[in-house]
Amino acid sequence: MEARKFETVDDLLMIPSVDGRIELISGEIVKRPMARFAHAQVQSGLSDEVSPFKRRKGADGWWIVTEISVRYSEHHCPTHDLAGWRKARVPNPPEGVVDILPDWVCEITSPGHESKDLVMHLMRLQVYQVPYYWVISPENKTLIAYELAGEHYRVVFSKECIAVEDCQRVFIPPFAEQGIDLGYVFGVLA
């Protein structure tokens, strides 16, 4: 029986850019799901909602980007739907494949890939001590937000946004100060 070869970030970088929807998960290069409208709408909407934090200068600001590869180890380099770094901790924008731990990650589930976001990323980011992790399901119109409490995540927010009256502005760490309009994020508008 042959031992499994764990792929590395260098192996990932050697793949032609034609195969761009790939990532390195626990030593395995995996294909990412094809982009869907509902996924893109939620990703774009949430990016719009956190834009006031991106525009702030100095210590109160954030670097927040979409579709960003983060190298947590030589064998683990996922591409996050959204990730953010506080400017107080990272004063200049990261470059290339980022190897600086994010302060916030948000994953948007895709059909057939839910366990990657709901289990694998949750467990990995907890080990790496990412302070905040959000999971959004466009299909179920739900958002679950986790915050690191010691060595483990705890749920600090969960909401299902089906009807217009369920989709108000919510205040979720680390963006509790501004609030997030869930109706806008999910496209459930009055």
Side-chain angles (χ1 to χ4, degrees):
M1 190 165 162
E2 192 175 321
R4 177 179 165 225
K5 178 188 182 287
F6 284 89
E7 304 286 347
T8 67
V9 172
D10 288 338
D11 296 325
L12 181 66
L13 293 172
M14 296 279 288
I15 296 174
S17 62
V18 172
D19 297 332
R21 291 202 53 86
I22 56 174
E23 59 190 338
L24 181 63
I25 304 293
S26 302
E28 182 180 353
I29 296 175
V30 297
K31 186 173 181 167
R32 300 184 69 217
M34 199 172 202
R36 302 165 350 276
F37 184 86
H39 184 285
Q41 180 181 30
V42 166
Q43 186 176 23
S44 174
L46 184 56
S47 183
D48 289 349
E49 286 295 294
V50 296
S51 69
F53 294 93
K54 294 191 296 187
R55 292 177 185 197
R56 290 183 184 171
K57 294 179 182 0
D60 289 340
W62 284 74
W63 305 112
I64 299 173
V65 293
T66 62
E67 299 297 322
I68 183 71
S69 296
V70 178
R71 181 193 316 228
Y72 292 94
S73 74
E74 198 54 32
H75 301 289
H76 194 70
C77 185
T79 300
H80 296 303
D81 291 319
L82 292 109
W85 293 260
R86 293 179 188 268
K87 290 179 182 175
R89 191 172 64 82
V90 182
N92 298 307
E95 295 182 15
V97 176
V98 179
D99 59 4
I100 302 169
L101 186 75
D103 292 299
W104 170 74
V105 169
C106 179
E107 294 294 349
I108 302 162
T109 62
S110 296
H113 296 263
E114 294 88 354
S115 68
K116 180 179 80 165
D117 298 324
L118 295 169
V119 178
M120 193 281 304
H121 278 319
L122 174 79
M123 300 307 290
R124 283 285 185 169
L125 295 179
Q126 180 175 266
V127 167
Y128 292 117
Q129 300 286 281
V130 172
Y132 296 96
Y133 179 55
W134 293 9
V135 180
I136 298 179
S137 169
E139 288 72 29
N140 297 318
K141 292 187 173 35
T142 57
L143 186 154
I144 303 170
Y146 299 90
E147 180 177 33
L148 205 56
E151 294 182 5
H152 302 284
Y153 279 129
R154 66 183 174 95
V155 174
V156 291
F157 179 85
S158 62
K159 183 75 172 175
E160 182 178 41
C161 180
I162 301 299
V164 171
E165 58 271 9
D166 299 327
C167 301
Q168 69 278 3
R169 182 165 291 282
V170 294
F171 301 88
I172 313 165
F175 306 113
E177 166 192 332
Q178 174 80 24
I180 305 293
D181 182 342
L182 283 185
Y184 179 75
V185 170
F186 287 114
V188 180
L189 306 172

